Amino acid sequence: MKKAKQKLKKWLKNHNLVLIPGQIDQYCPHTKSVSFNKRHKPEKQVYSILHECGHHIIQESEDYEEKYKIQANALCDGRKQKSLCWRVDLLREEFDCWDKGKELAKRLRIKIDEKNYDKYAAACLKTYCQWVLEPKDYEV
């Protein structure tokens, strides 16, 4: 997993992003960073970093505003972030980011256990699915 992190650090650097060990998994375009929960096991850290890189790939794509219209509009109008449509659109991006992370692993020749990756993704996505239905019970 050490080699995988090194490859990801290099990829992030090439995209003008930094990798930060922390308390949460997060892609932040404003600070140009990807953070990961350093308390997780190394395998899950790599999976989380791949997923957060997926956010960067998606959000920097030319068709982002077209594909994720509701999210793009909500950046200008925070009221839209309270809607079910916005939460569903965000959930769709979350699913897509896990796919992009897996594609990135293949492209960078990072060996991952796809079964474990998919299990971890499913566990993370479950929380988002619950949040879509009951947003008051969860923080995103």
Side-chain angles (χ1 to χ4, degrees), residues 14 57 72 74 83 110 112 115:
N14 289 339
I57 293 166
S83 74
I110 294 172
I112 60 170
K115 187 176 178 183

Side-chain angles (χ1 to χ4, degrees), residues 21 28 61 103:
C28 185
S61 67
E103 290 171 15

Side-chain angles (χ1 to χ4, degrees), residues 75-120:
L75 292 173
C76 300
D77 184 352
R79 295 173 299 174
K80 292 182 180 181
Q81 292 184 4
K82 296 181 182 188
S83 74
L84 175 63
C85 288
W86 177 77
R87 292 192 308 273
V88 169
D89 203 41
L90 190 141
L91 178 63
R92 191 163 48 89
E93 181 179 330
E94 289 298 324
F95 272 86
D96 292 347
C97 290
W98 285 105
D99 291 341
K100 291 292 182 189
K102 194 184 286 188
E103 290 171 15
L104 180 61
K106 287 178 183 169
R107 208 166 52 239
L108 297 178
R109 294 189 176 129
I110 294 172
K111 287 188 178 186
I112 60 170
D113 181 321
E114 286 197 37
K115 187 176 178 183
N116 285 348
Y117 183 91
D118 291 341
K119 273 185 177 178
Y120 185 57

Side-chain angles (χ1 to χ4, degrees), residues 16-17 26-34 55-56 59-60:
N16 299 314
L17 297 165
Q26 183 179 36
Y27 164 64
C28 185
H30 307 296
T31 61
K32 297 189 177 283
S33 64
V34 165
H55 280 289
H56 175 73
Q59 291 179 18
E60 292 298 313

Side-chain angles (χ1 to χ4, degrees), residues 2-19 49 53 56 104 108 110:
K2 221 176 197 177
K3 218 174 190 182
K5 265 198 209 167
Q6 289 172 338
K7 287 181 180 184
L8 287 166
K9 273 186 182 180
K10 184 177 178 182
W11 185 89
L12 288 163
K13 187 177 179 181
N14 289 339
H15 288 85
N16 299 314
L17 297 165
V18 294
L19 184 62
I49 296 165
C53 289
H56 175 73
L104 180 61
L108 297 178
I110 294 172

Side-chain angles (χ1 to χ4, degrees), residues 91 122-132 138-139:
L91 178 63
C124 294
L125 289 166
K126 177 184 175 187
T127 303
Y128 273 97
C129 291
Q130 292 168 327
W131 167 76
V132 166
Y138 294 89
E139 267 188 58

